[in-house]
């Protein structure tokens, strides 16, 4: 079998304006099971290193087509020759794939959009160390009111235990850091105290890319770079193209 | 941010399989012709010739045709759209008059996949597709076709050009070699780039077709696989139409397994 299923299937299967969901009556709760992560209430929980809950914030999840920009996944080969010219070292004889935004894989983004950007629900004083995103897959809780999540995360005094959630709530642990970090959850201040009025999420939303959806794609970048490396007129730099072409097309 | 977390607690394999099956399986159909743009489902199977794209080309949406991949090396390579022979479709309404499509419940059966029997359609005139209790749940897309029907592909100018290439013996594979499934009858929307020879004027060495999610997502391939004759072990097998560039094909069945689990 050489059949391949594209990661974008998560987007087209769940997005309300695509054909699959167009067939379902989206207003009928019996169809909630047909969408797993699109338009579901979600809660971001931040704890300290010993699982004491420091912050909670509710919002909604959705799939997005915003393109991944990651140097870890971008193709290394991106300059290529587009025209015949006498000066092959001239940049004008080449084009950069970056200009077509086509150096990263096509992977749909899962976005968590908070109801409010300011974390008003500060629960305890401590140093933020862990972040969890909880998703209410059956859409029975509120995306705007944290009180409807009390059955999920327990009262403020108990330690947070992601392995002990209701069956319809799934979670993912996310990296957490300061605003200058490259973590998915970025806070303006990791030192949280109860008398603070606000702790701000550094971004308007949190975006996740699952790189191995529906397949193990982990060697794709190496494979694509090897494929492009075999083409004389592709290179990481203009000089590399010139050198490769001199070998492949001797004058 | 990418992959700095364990996705299994949020997206376990069985949920991924559900997503794929929901996309691939018709939950509703109508036995009569009802045209409803929201409740209708349609899958378009586009047939191509030439080198089968590699998984990395599929993942990155960057398809390369080099000299010798599709046409003989003395000829310039082709863009992706120029390698499409044509398409046929799978539909969930009962519009049987169409020569280029199969409709579930009319001249095709949909089996296997998870069909939400309790779900309600956006259009009450559409009925739930009953699942075959004996079918395997692991197939995200599983259709069998009426043996007495062949479909006539919908083609465009590229079909005539490929026929001409076949007639003059310059087609590397004089047959369909692979297919893609999308939600649109239109060929995949791709930006074409030609890579020229550094010193020979007007000699194209490669043609690169770049398809991105920025536009026309319904035209992007969601599933890609190989095409061949019965017994070839291909993902899509044809009783007729597998051995030449032709617009009349009769697929035996189309079964796509979700490899998430």
């Amino acid at each position: 079998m050489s059949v391949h299923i594209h990661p974008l299937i998560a987007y087209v299967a769940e997005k309300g304006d695509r054909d699959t969901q167009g067939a379902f009556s989206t207003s009928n709760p019996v169809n909630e099971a047909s969408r797993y992560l699109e338009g579901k209430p979600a809660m971001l929980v931040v704890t300290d290193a010993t699982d004491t809950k420091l912050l909670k914030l509710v919002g909604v999840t959705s799939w997005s087509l915003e393109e991944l920009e990651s140097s870890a996944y971008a193709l290394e080969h991106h300059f290529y020759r587009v025209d015949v010219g006498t000066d092959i070292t001239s940049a004008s004889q080449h084009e950069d794939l970056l200009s077509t935004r086509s150096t990263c894989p096509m992977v749909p983004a899962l976005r968590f959009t908070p109801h409010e950007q300011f974390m008003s629900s500060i629960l305890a004083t401590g140093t933020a160390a862990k972040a969890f995103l909880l998703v209410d897959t059956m859409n029975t809780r509120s995306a705007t009111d944290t009180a409807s999540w009390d059955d999920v995360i327990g009262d403020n005094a108990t330690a947070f235990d992601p392995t002990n959630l209701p069956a319809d709530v799934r979670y993912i642990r996310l990296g957490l850091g300061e605003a200058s970090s490259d973590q998915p959850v970025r806070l303006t201040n990791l030192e949280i105290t109860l008398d603070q009025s606000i702790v701000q999420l550094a971004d308007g939303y949190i975006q996740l890319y699952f790189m191995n959806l529906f397949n193990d794609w982990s060697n794709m970048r190496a494979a694509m770079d090897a494929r492009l490396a075999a083409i004389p007129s592709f290179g990481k730099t203009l000089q590399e193209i010139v050198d490769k072409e001199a070998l492949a097309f001797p004058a | 941010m990418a992959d700095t977390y364990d996705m299994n607690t949020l997206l376990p394999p069985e949920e991924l399989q559900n997503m794929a099956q929901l996309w691939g399986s018709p939950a509703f159909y109508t036995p009569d012709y009802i045209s409803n743009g929201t409740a209708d489902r349609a899958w378009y199977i586009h047939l191509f010739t030439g080198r089968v794209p590699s998984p990395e080309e599929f993942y990155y949406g960057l398809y390369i045709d080099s000299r010798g991949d599709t046409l003989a090396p003395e000829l310039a390579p082709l863009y992706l759209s120029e390698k499409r022979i044509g398409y046929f479709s799978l539909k969930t309404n009962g519009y049987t008059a169409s020569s280029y499509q199969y409709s579930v419940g009319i001249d095709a059966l949909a089996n296997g996949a998870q069909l939400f029997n309790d779900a309600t359609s956006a259009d009450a005139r559409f009925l739930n597709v009953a699942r075959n209790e004996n079918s395997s749940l692991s197939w995200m897309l599983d259709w069998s076709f009426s043996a007495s029907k062949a479909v006539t592909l919908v083609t465009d100018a590229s079909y005539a050009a490929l026929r001409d290439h076949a007639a003059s013996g310059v087609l590397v594979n004089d047959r369909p070699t692979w297919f893609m499934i999308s939600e649109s009858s239109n060929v995949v929307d791709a930006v074409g780039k030609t890579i020229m020879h550094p010193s020979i004027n007007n000699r194209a060495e490669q043609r690169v077709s770049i398809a991105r999610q920025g536009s026309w997502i319904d035209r992007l391939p969601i599933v890609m696989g190989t095409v061949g004759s019965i017994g070839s072990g291909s993902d899509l097998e044809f009783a007729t139409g597998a051995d030449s560039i032709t617009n009349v094909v009769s697929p035996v069945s189309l079964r796509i397994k979700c490899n998430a689990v």
Side-chain angles (χ1 to χ4, degrees), chain B residues 15-34:
Chain B
E15 298 298 350
L16 287 172
Q17 190 181 27
N18 285 347
M19 275 184 197
Q21 291 177 344
L22 268 166
W23 181 83
S25 63
F28 313 104
Y29 80 109
T30 166
D32 305 306
Y33 175 51
I34 301 170

Side-chain angles (χ1 to χ4, degrees), chain A residues 42-217:
Chain A
M43 175 180 267
L44 181 70
V45 176
V46 175
T47 73
D48 68 7
T50 58
D51 302 320
T52 303
K53 293 182 285 259
L54 305 179
L55 302 167
K56 59 183 178 183
L57 183 65
V58 285
V60 66
T61 53
S62 61
W63 291 101
S64 159
L65 290 180
E66 187 169 318
E67 299 209 14
L68 172 68
E69 291 184 44
S70 163
S71 56
Y73 293 90
L75 298 174
E76 294 180 313
H77 291 77
H78 46 88
F79 289 100
Y80 60 98
R81 172 175 298 285
V82 292
D83 201 358
V84 179
T86 50
D87 180 9
I88 61 171
T89 61
S90 165
S92 66
Q93 308 299 328
H94 302 77
E95 196 165 348
D96 191 341
L97 277 180
L98 280 174
S99 65
T100 58
R101 290 182 58 94
S102 48
T103 59
C104 278
M106 283 192 287
V107 179
L110 179 67
R111 182 179 288 187
F112 168 68
T113 307
H115 171 58
E116 52 191 346
Q117 200 170 347
F118 303 102
M119 294 208 185
S120 51
S121 295
I122 295 176
L123 309 174
T125 297
T127 303
K130 301 178 188 175
F132 299 88
L133 182 66
L134 317 181
V135 181
D136 176 14
T137 59
M138 289 306 287
N139 195 9
T140 56
R141 296 171 184 81
S142 172
T144 57
D145 177 13
T146 57
S148 64
W149 290 75
D150 285 350
D151 70 310
V152 178
I153 66 165
D155 62 40
N156 294 345
T158 56
F160 179 67
D161 178 9
T163 64
N164 190 22
L165 298 172
D168 56 337
V169 175
R170 294 282 167 75
Y171 79 99
I172 185 167
R173 182 172 172 184
L174 302 175
L176 172 77
E178 291 182 320
S180 59
S181 72
D182 62 352
Q183 296 297 324
V185 181
R186 304 187 300 156
L187 302 177
T188 50
N189 189 356
L190 292 182
E191 297 302 326
I192 292 159
T193 54
L194 264 177
D195 58 0
Q196 262 176 324
S197 56
I198 54 166
V199 174
Q200 196 171 351
L201 204 58
D203 309 276
Y205 49 80
I206 293 168
Q207 203 143 270
L208 311 172
Y209 293 89
F210 305 104
M211 300 310 293
N212 281 331
L213 277 182
F214 299 101
N215 200 354
D216 180 3
W217 303 102

Side-chain angles (χ1 to χ4, degrees), chain A residues 74-82 88 91 93-99 102-103 221 224-246 248-249, chain B residues 62 64 195-196 206 208:
Chain A
L75 298 174
E76 294 180 313
H77 291 77
H78 46 88
F79 289 100
Y80 60 98
R81 172 175 298 285
V82 292
I88 61 171
Q93 308 299 328
H94 302 77
E95 196 165 348
D96 191 341
L97 277 180
L98 280 174
S99 65
S102 48
T103 59
R221 186 201 189 194
M224 199 70 198
D225 268 328
R227 184 170 290 278
L228 296 180
I231 299 174
S233 297
F234 260 92
K236 299 171 191 174
T237 63
L238 301 186
Q239 187 59 48
E240 183 183 333
I241 296 176
V242 172
D243 295 343
K244 283 167 70 179
E245 285 183 340
F249 307 107
Chain B
L62 198 153
I64 299 164
I195 299 171
M196 302 301 289
Q206 270 86 25
V208 180

